[in-house]
Amino acid sequence: MADAVVLCTCCGAMEEIFDMAAIEERLKGGGSAPVPMCVVPRLCSREGARLAADRMRQLPPGGLVIGACAFSARGDAVMGMLAEEGVRDIPVHWADLREGCAFVHPGDAKGATMKAADILAMGLADLGRADGGAPVLRTPPHRRVLILGGGPAGLAAARAALQRGVDVTLVEKRPAIGGMLPMLRKLFPDMGSSSDMLARLDLPAGVDLRTATAVSELRPALGGFTVTLKGVKGDGKPEELSVGAVILAMGGQPVLPKGRLRYGELAGIASQMELETRLAKAERNPDDAASLPRKAVFVQCVAAREDDRPYCSAVCCPAALKNGMRLLECVPDAEVTVLHRNVCMPGRELESFYRLARERGVRMRPMDPEVPLEILEEDGKVSGVRMQDASSGETVTLPCDGLACSTPVAPAPDAAKLAAMLGVRLDDMGFVCGEEPARPLETPVRGVFCCGSVRWPCTVAQAVEEGAAAGLLAATHVAEPSATPSWRPLNVAHATATILDRDCSGCGRCLAACPHGACVPDRGSGPRRTVAVLADRCEGCGGCAAVCPTGAARIAFRPVAGVVEGLRRVLEVA
Amino acid sequence: MTGKAAGLPVLVAGGGVAGMQAALHLADAGVPVVLAEREGFLGGQVFRLDKVYPTDHCAFCPVWPKARACRSHPLIRLRLKARLETVEEDGEGTVAVLRVAPDAVDADRCVFCGRCMAACPRGAVVGRPDDIPHDPSTAPRAIVLDDLCDGCGACAAACPASAIEKSALGRREPSFERIPVRTVVHATGFREPVPHPAPEFGAGTHPDILTAMAFEKLTAEFAKGDGPLRCPSDGRPAKSVAFVQCAGARDMRHIPHCSAVCCMHASKHARWLKRRDPSLDVAIYHTDLRTPGKGQEAYMRAARAEGVRFFHARPGLVAPLDQQRAKGVLLRHEAAEKVASTVVDLVVLNGGLACNPSTVDGATPGNGTDSGRPGISRACGFCREPADIARSVIQAGAVVAALLQELADCVPGDAMEASRG
């Protein structure tokens, strides 16, 4: 093997600092054959790349050390142009001589020159070890997206992914799709009907829909995940599918106000969701309006924003204001008072909805969370609420014949189980975590996405938005890459973990430590239960190596051997 | 839509986080994109942030990969210093007209060696604009500041890569570029209106009354150096800082909407200040405290636990004291139906972020999914609905999903084929 060095002068900037002849001399390392060196004025230009390629063609085949700017500056462009000029798929070591050397030693030309030569020598040593490591093979993902949950988020995700031309399987554990939609008759913000929304979200032909189906097993595998499906009642033959991506869209569930504000004790006290159902009935049949309250009090933040559940559920203020307006429409002489800690209607759309509700006669009263509400009763039925108005400090009694408690949304009951199968992290409240803030729908496990209320409580409109966005992301993940994967230098290539079978005790600590779901129990044939690393899932973070008690898990950052060899060579020369 | 239009690009107006995400989604689906950004760099307002809530990580790291991906995606053509002037229908189709500011530096040739900066006698060539905290890789090229440049050409002479066009230096006249497009996606973001919409808060009357973005710059970790937080007016250490929420916003006289991001923005600043100096008196005067997003309520509770004081009170007046007699800024607010006054060293005005206007087809983005004529233009990010980073990213995906569906409906199988081809 005859390895060569290409040195970019960056339009002369490097020559101002480095002594090119001294570098060449030092690379010879005490009299051995000179290393073929090609100095080009601007490697990231077409002319520069051509010059380097022409020189490479005159040399016997071998690897290449490129001494230039930091790879993040122009590396991709250079690699692309060299490939177009016919130099490709040979081992390349990228030596950062500009940001990493010339720019940081402006006043020390001699020292910088020596350092540059050493960096190049270490690169050559690395090339010498290039065949020592196995290449990381990335298995193309299966072209199928699995969506768990058939509510608004899941339906929108299915539509978006299918539109991108990938196969879609949607699994819903209930007998029908729609999630929470059938329970909500009118939707925020335009009071549009939920059946219209459901019709709009109805699955297009081509989606493989499985209702009344549960996931019994879901595990990472090469090319994505293997899922085992069976009927919710445990009936039917289990079926195994291979998918390239998973979208978690299981939604949430409303918390019941049990043990709060005498819910379940007195008549006339309901959860906001229960009131919603009664409103829907009255809207369909005006005779049912007689059973609706005349003087209604809605209490916000029940069982929310407190130590046990320290979050704002985002949907309760819009829901309460919506139901307040619906109640006023069904019973025009009714009175609706909303007791709130903060009216959480951020943005433009929600703020104008809030204004509309006030115009329509929904009354707002701030309460002090430190002062508990007192529920007044008459004959086993709620008759009023005594509260302290937080703005005036006065204690007031609000007579009422109906009280609705706005409770938060909690994650779907099966969220924890499914997330654990995938190795996806949940937050303290049990919601699925994306990579906030810039990749909110992408979990750290590659190929697993989340949307809707399983991620965080959201309105139907937001769930549809998140679903569509997650559908696109998942489709992009499993679709064939639009550009061919680029040819990368050895030392900027992807590092992955390996677990040496010989040393692995099968303790499984790495399974818990891996945030990317790359460590999986090895189902191999050996006598002991060990752990394997899925190379196309591993991000090379080293979490497994940090917790491994036997040293079996380690990061196979390929050039480690090369780095050692490089150091040896440089220190010897010095 | 005709078959001819099918190969045309979609124009994305705005290269902030929403615009970049929309461009990436479209390009990943095989649709060519022209991404027009009025500044000389991608990233938008996010790159003016030092850290972002709720993680308190630097803003740069999560967003930079998107900028990089936009720059290297084969289907995305980047037009910097270009803003969407208008969209025309010329009978054959839709034409987007870009107003391109004179840009003397050829981004593809610039190697960012910095010799132009050293050569310029007027300091008109910079590596990054003054208000961008992050380092050169944000804008890996030189930027010529038009208002300082006198066109002497010293930079062009010094440039070893022939990346600077002398004849373009000091040229104030913009050029107009007409691009036939399929449709336009608006992602023009927000701005802090100047002058401040609500004069009663005293913005601009005194250096110690700052807007949120100005305060971001003042306290950014990269800039603060050592020592205490100092008042911009005279450099004395600040002992008390007050954040005035909804300043000019949720106010029918000024900006009716809630800007959605400011409660968290103030909590973030307050927590930094407390970390920097626990003895600092930090107070947030808010109307409704809105923290509905993931992790936001917990973040706000942590701020409270760290000693940040929250007042449910809407200030009505912020005014500098008579500087001859006493230093400080007077804050008058109403709480429990009583008027109270406080004097503090620094006041930060939060809220009142205005959606950047779009001149396109007379439409104001922000009315639902479509802005203006359905199918002609769409909007995502803050210009559609006040949104933080996460919401902007989600909205971009939703808008592109709807758009791809629509493009496919217009030419059956077209987008699908494009995504495969």
Side-chain angles (χ1 to χ4, degrees):
Chain A
M1 287 272 277
D3 297 330
V5 172
V6 167
L7 216 51
C8 173
T9 70
C10 196
C11 307
M14 307 279 238
E15 280 168 317
E16 281 174 14
I17 304 223
F18 301 142
D19 177 346
M20 295 297 184
I23 289 180
E24 202 159 2
E25 189 57 33
R26 195 172 164 87
L27 280 183
K28 266 200 264 180
S32 60
V35 178
M37 202 162 104
C38 165
V39 179
V40 295
R42 201 176 152 219
L43 192 55
C44 62
S45 68
R46 180 63 59 189
E47 310 84 69
R50 190 164 296 154
L51 219 67
D54 287 346
R55 180 89 174 88
M56 289 297 290
R57 270 191 284 273
Q58 295 160 11
L59 295 171
L64 183 61
V65 174
I66 297 176
C69 53
F71 187 79
S72 58
R74 286 292 205 211
D76 283 326
V78 169
M79 297 299 278
M81 273 187 287
L82 283 177
E84 283 167 29
E85 295 299 329
V87 178
R88 65 164 73 90
D89 300 330
I90 57 167
V92 167
H93 179 101
W94 191 277
D96 171 7
L97 297 189
R98 195 175 71 154
E99 283 81 350
C101 186
F103 280 8
V104 289
H105 303 294
D108 180 11
K110 190 152 177 273
T113 301
M114 292 302 105
K115 179 174 166 183
D118 285 351
I119 291 173
L120 292 170
M122 290 174 76
L124 286 166
D126 184 24
L127 284 182
R129 290 299 190 97
D131 48 3
V136 175
L137 291 176
R138 294 201 172 255
T139 316
H142 301 287
R143 280 183 68 95
R144 179 173 291 278
V145 174
L146 172 71
I147 299 170
L148 302 178
L155 295 175
R159 179 174 289 270
L162 190 78
Q163 204 282 320
R164 282 285 315 273
V166 302
D167 298 328
V168 177
T169 295
L170 191 146
V171 174
E172 167 59 56
K173 62 177 191 288
R174 296 196 189 91
I177 55 168
M180 298 272 277
L181 270 179
M183 295 161 76
L184 315 166
R185 191 161 178 275
K186 289 190 177 180
L187 297 179
F188 159 84
D190 55 359
M191 296 288 193
S193 96
S194 64
S195 48
D196 285 356
M197 175 61 96
L198 193 52
R200 211 159 61 232
L201 289 172
D202 198 19
L203 287 174
V207 173
D208 170 29
L209 172 67
R210 317 288 183 97
T211 51
T213 302
V215 171
S216 64
E217 203 182 349
L218 183 54
R219 59 172 197 273
L222 282 179
F225 307 86
T226 304
V227 60
T228 312
L229 302 174
K230 60 172 201 225
V232 271
K233 296 184 190 105
D235 51 339
K237 220 175 95 211
E239 190 189 347
E240 214 174 78
L241 284 180
S242 289
V243 298
V246 179
I247 299 178
L248 301 173
M250 293 87 74
Q253 53 176 346
V255 171
L256 279 176
K258 276 182 197 147
R260 310 288 182 132
L261 304 177
R262 306 187 71 181
Y263 171 83
E265 255 180 73
L266 297 182
I269 301 184
S271 74
Q272 192 64 249
M273 201 65 210
E274 287 159 349
L275 176 71
E276 178 119 21
T277 317
R278 280 166 63 199
L279 283 167
K281 242 171 105 181
E283 281 161 353
R284 274 191 288 266
N285 180 6
D287 295 343
D288 284 337
S291 71
L292 291 172
R294 271 23 196 189
K295 284 187 191 322
V297 171
F298 296 172
V299 184
Q300 300 303 101
C301 305
V302 178
R305 302 179 71 196
E306 54 185 30
D307 289 342
D308 285 350
R309 237 183 236 105
Y311 65 95
C312 161
S313 186
V315 295
C316 345
C317 280
L321 295 175
K322 177 186 79 173
N323 290 343
M325 283 193 268
R326 287 167 75 184
L327 179 57
L328 290 171
E329 216 156 274
C330 290
V331 187
D333 60 344
E335 280 175 21
V336 180
T337 309
V338 179
L339 307 186
H340 64 87
R341 285 168 55 180
N342 290 115
V343 188
C344 194
M345 301 290 279
R348 180 205 307 262
E349 213 165 38
L350 286 167
E351 182 76 39
S352 37
F353 192 74
Y354 176 29
R355 277 200 299 272
L356 180 72
R358 292 178 73 149
E359 281 164 23
R360 297 261 176 95
V362 177
R363 296 175 196 175
M364 312 300 293
R365 235 179 217 281
M367 58 177 173
D368 186 339
E370 302 300 319
V371 184
L373 300 179
E374 194 184 331
I375 308 297
L376 309 176
E377 69 162 294
E378 225 177 80
D379 310 328
K381 194 175 183 317
V382 63
S383 66
V385 181
R386 189 170 297 142
M387 55 91 64
Q388 187 177 353
D389 187 303
S391 65
S392 65
E394 278 173 54
T395 301
V396 289
T397 303
L398 305 167
C400 79
D401 60 350
L403 186 96
C405 308
S406 291
T407 45
V409 174
D414 47 356
K417 194 184 85 185
L418 291 167
M421 288 179 183
L422 291 165
V424 167
R425 199 168 66 83
L426 301 177
D427 65 17
D428 295 346
M429 301 297 108
F431 293 100
V432 176
C433 285
E435 302 232 55
E436 301 280 333
R439 295 192 293 154
L441 308 181
E442 296 160 66
T443 73
V445 179
R446 196 182 298 155
V448 181
F449 305 88
C450 58
C451 55
S453 289
V454 79
R455 174 188 163 260
W456 196 250
C458 63
T459 62
V460 171
Q462 281 173 354
V464 170
E465 280 190 349
E466 290 184 15
L472 284 188
L473 290 167
T476 299
H477 179 79
V478 304
E480 281 132 49
S482 53
T484 47
S486 56
W487 158 58
R488 312 273 288 181
L490 298 168
N491 54 329
V492 291
H494 191 68
T496 54
T498 55
I499 294 178
L500 283 182
D501 225 27
R502 190 193 65 199
D503 296 342
C504 175
S505 67
C507 70
R509 282 180 220 194
C510 50
L511 302 183
C514 176
H516 309 290
C519 291
V520 292
D522 194 352
R523 285 150 193 270
S525 52
R528 284 176 303 127
R529 193 172 161 272
T530 56
V531 174
V533 176
L534 298 177
D536 57 343
R537 197 167 289 284
C538 177
E539 299 279 359
C541 71
C544 53
V547 299
C548 181
T550 65
R554 52 184 73 164
I555 292 298
F557 184 56
R558 205 218 47 80
V560 164
V563 169
V564 174
E565 172 64 22
L567 282 170
R568 197 184 58 76
R569 200 180 288 185
V570 166
L571 294 173
E572 263 177 23
V573 169
Chain B
M1 197 165 298
T2 63
K4 188 186 155 207
L8 293 178
V10 169
L11 183 104
V12 177
V17 66
M20 291 193 294
Q21 188 66 63
L24 288 171
H25 273 310
L26 283 163
D28 282 341
V31 177
V33 176
V34 175
L35 179 57
E37 164 57 44
R38 73 188 159 130
E39 308 256 18
F41 57 92
L42 288 177
Q45 298 284 7
V46 176
F47 279 171
R48 293 194 163 83
L49 302 176
D50 186 41
K51 297 264 163 63
V52 289
Y53 65 77
T55 53
D56 278 351
H57 293 167
C58 93
F60 180 72
C61 309
V63 180
W64 167 236
K66 289 192 202 293
R68 204 179 142 89
C70 283
R71 279 217 291 265
S72 62
H73 202 295
L75 286 179
I76 298 177
R77 192 150 60 92
L78 203 55
R79 305 296 289 130
L80 293 174
K81 285 187 149 187
R83 71 183 340 151
L84 181 61
E85 183 79 1
T86 176
V87 175
E88 293 170 3
E89 296 292 327
D90 70 355
E92 298 217 355
T94 311
V95 176
V97 182
L98 295 184
R99 178 194 179 87
V100 187
D103 193 357
V105 183
D106 180 342
D108 289 337
R109 295 194 70 85
C110 172
V111 293
F112 204 56
C113 64
R115 275 179 249 191
C116 48
M117 297 170 207
C120 177
R122 301 170 61 88
V125 192
V126 293
R128 60 182 167 91
D130 192 35
D131 59 342
I132 297 295
H134 300 289
D135 232 14
S137 37
T138 310
R141 60 199 216 100
I143 295 172
V144 179
L145 302 176
D146 292 331
D147 34 348
L148 289 179
C149 175
D150 64 355
C152 73
C155 56
C159 179
S162 315
I164 302 183
E165 174 59 48
K166 181 171 187 280
S167 64
L169 288 169
R171 182 157 56 87
R172 304 285 194 274
E173 288 303 304
S175 59
F176 291 88
E177 190 176 343
R178 297 173 59 84
I179 305 176
V181 295
R182 279 167 132 180
T183 184
V184 173
V185 173
H186 299 276
T188 46
F190 70 86
R191 69 197 144 87
E192 285 185 330
V194 179
H196 195 275
E200 64 268 30
F201 294 117
T205 63
H206 192 265
D208 296 345
I209 304 175
L210 296 143
T211 62
M213 291 305 272
F215 189 70
E216 179 91 22
K217 195 177 154 193
L218 182 73
T219 53
E221 227 156 51
F222 77 97
K224 74 181 183 195
D226 293 327
L229 174 71
R230 294 185 181 278
C231 294
S233 60
D234 56 2
R236 72 183 194 283
K239 293 194 178 64
S240 54
V241 180
F243 292 86
V244 175
Q245 300 303 101
C246 306
R250 301 188 66 200
D251 184 331
M252 300 311 283
R253 294 166 304 164
H254 308 304
I255 292 174
H257 66 252
C258 154
S259 302
V261 297
C262 335
C263 285
M264 281 300 287
H265 200 186
S267 299
K268 176 187 83 172
H269 282 154
R271 289 187 72 183
W272 291 358
L273 290 175
K274 274 290 184 186
R275 261 173 235 165
R276 192 165 163 181
D277 179 3
S279 70
L280 207 62
D281 177 25
V282 183
I284 297 179
Y285 295 82
H286 59 88
T287 56
D288 289 304
L289 203 54
R290 292 175 168 175
T291 50
K294 194 172 176 76
Q296 295 185 353
E297 177 87 8
Y299 191 95
M300 195 269 294
R301 287 166 68 98
R304 217 184 273 271
E306 286 158 9
V308 176
R309 299 186 300 145
F310 287 80
F311 294 100
H312 198 137
R314 185 164 193 156
L317 179 79
V318 176
L321 294 178
D322 178 356
Q323 301 293 308
Q324 302 300 320
R325 294 167 56 197
K327 301 285 185 193
V329 178
L330 178 82
L331 190 78
R332 206 166 67 196
H333 56 88
E334 200 185 346
E337 296 179 347
K338 286 187 200 72
V339 174
S341 294
T342 314
V343 174
V344 293
D345 289 326
L346 271 176
V347 169
V348 183
L349 303 178
N350 249 310
L353 301 181
C355 307
N356 267 330
S358 169
T359 53
V360 175
D361 49 43
T364 318
N367 305 319
T369 309
D370 298 320
S371 71
R373 286 168 292 174
I376 296 298
S377 50
R378 296 169 175 279
C380 57
F382 203 105
C383 74
R384 170 181 162 196
E385 171 73 27
D388 57 14
I389 297 174
R391 258 300 127 210
S392 297
V393 168
I394 292 165
Q395 279 181 9
V399 164
V400 169
L403 182 54
L404 288 173
Q405 183 75 57
E406 195 177 306
L407 296 179
D409 289 347
C410 290
V411 184
D414 156 54
M416 211 110 100
E417 252 152 50
S419 74
R420 284 180 180 144

